[in-house]
Amino acid sequence: MLQFLEQVRKPTLDIPVEVRRKMWFKPFLQSYLVVFIGYMAMYLVRKNFNIAQNDMISTYGLSMTELGLIGLGFSITYGVGKTLVSYYADGKNTKQFLPFMLILSGLAMLGFSFSMGGGSVSLFLMIAFYSLSGLFQSTGGPSSYSTITKWTPRNKRGSYLGLWNMSHNVGGAGAAGVALFGANYLFDGHVIGMFIFPSILALIIGFIGLRYGSDSPEAYGLGKVEELFGEAISEEDTAAEANNMTQWQIFVEYVLKNKVIWLLCFANIFLYVVRIGIDQWSTVYAFQELGLSKEVAISGFTMFEVGALIGTLMWGYLSDLANGRRALVACVSLALIIMTLEFYQHASSEFMYLASLFALGFLVFGPQLLIGVAAVGFVPKKAISVADGVKGTFAYLIGDSFAKLGLGMIADGTPIFGLTGWKGTFAALDTSAFLCITLLAFVAIAEERKIRKEKKRLLQLASNQA
């Protein structure tokens, strides 16, 4: 029934590797654009809910608690699906998986649109459809990581994944314009247009995405990417293939029993406390504590996204220059985050506030990208989706929840380290960044050992061939 989700692996073409390498770019670009644009479109049918909340309150009389319940449903299914759906996606055509899930998410949001209302039945249906959308979107990031990793050489993987990571910034920035266009130009200003129009766009993008590209150069008879770019196949892939390991065996051995993956999972929790803590509360802090206008506060939120847009590309490139030392580069970024939080906390002018949020956006999204890139370096290709998914599950169910609820409670007066209010909130952010550095330091040691071991292995192969 779902044959289009199965991997395609053709025999390698009987032509020189140099010729096959020249044939690599076009199918790679098609596959890359599908996961980039597809993931961007997922944000069009995710962030529109945030944008539409005020109109949903005025049109249907929904309370903040009811809106919170709808959002909570998405967060739970999104977090759980990061592991469960991504586990199912591994071993399949992950490039096809993303547009297929985008289509299902678009259909779920159409159901959400038509169920909108102020009654209890409408509320139940909105929670159900938005939760379904979260489940369908949960594997978007892991499937993209898997696809891009199968297509790209290790020495440029950080740059390619960093460029892809900009897709959610582009989607998040464009969500407001798309939602408002749908409402104002197609539905006479009614809030339902904020959901129907983005959903239709998602369906169109999803169906087009199914037609182009594939998850690996092997689908075109070009051979493995390692062969194309003269790299040795990783020890993890070699062992998984030599031992004919099943998907479950790979999951247990390389994810559940992998200390590095667990270190990255917990590091991701603390990173999400920092990222979501800034993202969620920056406008409130600027208005209430710094005494800035609402317009300036919102501008700060925008500057955070602009900084993120640049940072995701830069930090991936820097980690490539560092020969794949992703965790070490992430530690440098986190140390700078702690310093920048001081400027943000004590901003005495609009410029200082906007500049610190731009810098924080630039810095925070570096470790977010690099934690994911580091994870794929310690698992076989058949476990990339679920390895990325597991860390996402921890981040959303624990880190995201604490950043939204826990930091809000601290700001309202719940003490932490003997501090309350915004001082306590910033103490929690600093502590989270420090704990993230500590965990990533252990990952950096493991990466260094792996890099040196790989160099010895390559030298040994070269000497044997000589």
Side-chain angles (χ1 to χ4, degrees):
M1 180 179 176
L2 299 176
Q3 288 296 316
F4 64 94
L5 293 180
E6 297 300 320
Q7 287 183 334
V8 178
R9 295 292 182 264
K10 294 181 180 179
T12 303
L13 296 170
D14 188 20
I15 53 178
V17 67
E18 294 82 8
V19 178
R20 284 186 276 129
R21 190 182 302 132
K22 291 178 180 178
M23 297 168 62
W24 165 86
F25 182 72
K26 183 179 178 181
F28 160 69
L29 185 61
Q30 290 180 347
S31 305
Y32 192 82
L33 288 175
V34 168
V35 296
F36 185 98
I37 297 173
Y39 196 66
M40 178 195 73
M42 283 185 169
Y43 268 71
L44 299 182
V45 287
R46 182 191 308 184
K47 290 294 185 181
N48 55 347
F49 175 74
N50 301 46
I51 296 157
Q53 287 183 105
N54 287 328
D55 290 279
M56 293 171 73
I57 292 171
S58 60
T59 303
Y60 300 112
L62 294 172
S63 67
M64 297 293 288
T65 300
E66 288 170 332
L67 290 172
L69 286 172
I70 296 171
L72 181 63
F74 184 99
S75 296
I76 292 173
T77 55
Y78 189 82
V80 173
K82 279 278 187 182
T83 296
L84 296 183
V85 183
S86 297
Y87 174 81
Y88 178 76
D90 270 321
K92 293 182 172 55
N93 190 328
T94 48
K95 186 251 107 192
Q96 290 291 81
F97 223 85
L98 188 143
F100 178 58
M101 288 294 150
L102 176 61
I103 290 168
L104 294 181
S105 179
L107 291 173
M109 292 310 292
L110 282 177
F112 181 95
S113 305
F114 297 126
S115 65
M116 290 172 67
S120 57
V121 175
S122 292
L123 177 63
F124 173 80
L125 289 174
M126 283 190 289
I127 294 173
F129 280 118
Y130 201 47
S131 298
L132 275 177
S133 182
L135 183 69
F136 296 142
Q137 290 201 22
S138 63
T139 192
S143 290
S144 298
Y145 265 77
S146 178
T147 299
I148 295 170
T149 300
K150 291 173 188 175
W151 272 103
T152 56
R154 281 191 291 273
N155 63 349
K156 294 184 178 178
R157 194 172 290 164
S159 298
Y160 283 119
L161 285 170
L163 182 61
W164 165 83
N165 207 46
M166 294 170 64
S167 62
H168 77 266
N169 299 113
V170 176
V178 171
L180 290 171
F181 178 87
N184 295 332
Y185 290 94
L186 301 178
F187 288 86
D188 295 324
H190 198 283
V191 66
I192 196 172
M194 294 188 180
F195 295 96
I196 292 180
F197 181 60
S199 299
I200 292 173
L201 274 183
L203 291 174
I204 293 171
I205 292 170
F207 279 112
I208 292 174
L210 288 174
R211 293 176 54 85
Y212 295 96
S214 194
D215 70 322
S216 168
E218 296 168 83
Y220 297 86
L222 301 179
K224 295 181 182 294
V225 69
E226 290 88 353
E227 180 187 357
L228 287 174
F229 292 95
E231 293 181 336
I233 297 175
S234 70
E235 284 187 290
E236 292 82 5
D237 281 310
T238 301
E241 291 180 12
N243 297 319
N244 292 316
M245 297 175 72
T246 64
Q247 185 178 1
W248 175 251
Q249 288 173 327
I250 292 173
F251 175 64
V252 171
E253 188 65 29
Y254 289 102
V255 178
L256 293 185
K257 293 183 179 180
N258 193 329
K259 294 178 182 178
V260 173
I261 296 299
W262 285 107
L263 285 169
L264 290 170
C265 283
F266 285 101
N268 212 32
I269 290 173
F270 294 118
L271 179 64
Y272 261 68
V273 172
V274 177
R275 176 198 157 186
I276 303 300
I278 298 168
D279 184 74
Q280 181 81 8
W281 299 109
S282 63
T283 54
V284 179
Y285 179 72
F287 182 68
Q288 289 187 355
E289 188 70 12
L290 299 180
L292 301 174
S293 69
K294 291 182 179 179
E295 291 75 18
V296 173
I298 293 171
S299 296
F301 177 83
T302 304
M303 292 303 291
F304 182 75
E305 290 293 331
V306 173
L309 199 65
I310 300 171
T312 49
L313 181 61
M314 283 295 300
W315 288 105
Y317 175 69
L318 289 173
S319 74
D320 284 341
L321 290 180
N323 197 27
R325 292 174 174 84
R326 320 294 182 187
L328 179 62
V329 174
C331 286
V332 173
S333 179
L334 282 158
L336 294 172
I337 286 171
I338 294 175
M339 295 171 57
T340 309
L341 280 171
E342 287 297 308
F343 288 93
Y344 170 46
Q345 182 180 359
H346 301 104
S348 56
S349 65
E350 291 183 9
F351 174 78
M352 193 172 175
Y353 165 71
L354 295 174
S356 61
L357 274 178
F358 173 84
L360 285 169
F362 177 84
L363 295 169
V364 166
F365 279 79
Q368 179 186 299
L369 166 71
L370 295 174
I371 285 175
V373 183
V376 303
F378 287 90
V379 298
K381 289 178 183 176
K382 291 182 179 179
I384 290 173
S385 291
V386 72
D388 186 70
V390 166
K391 69 176 186 58
T393 296
F394 275 73
Y396 274 89
L397 293 185
I398 303 176
D400 183 89
S401 299
F402 178 79
K404 289 177 178 175
L405 181 60
L407 292 182
M409 291 173 63
I410 294 169
D412 277 339
T414 302
I416 183 172
F417 310 129
L419 300 171
T420 59
W422 291 109
K423 288 185 178 180
T425 300
F426 277 95
L429 292 176
D430 287 333
T431 303
S432 296
F434 177 77
L435 290 172
C436 190
I437 291 176
T438 303
L439 292 168
L440 287 179
F442 289 103
V443 178
I445 294 170
E447 275 188 332
E448 189 63 35
R449 288 173 179 167
K450 186 177 177 63
I451 289 169
R452 294 186 180 187
K453 188 176 180 180
E454 187 66 23
K455 283 183 178 179
K456 288 182 180 179
R457 190 160 74 99
L458 289 174
L459 288 172
Q460 186 66 40
L461 287 172
S463 63
N464 291 339
Q465 290 173 357

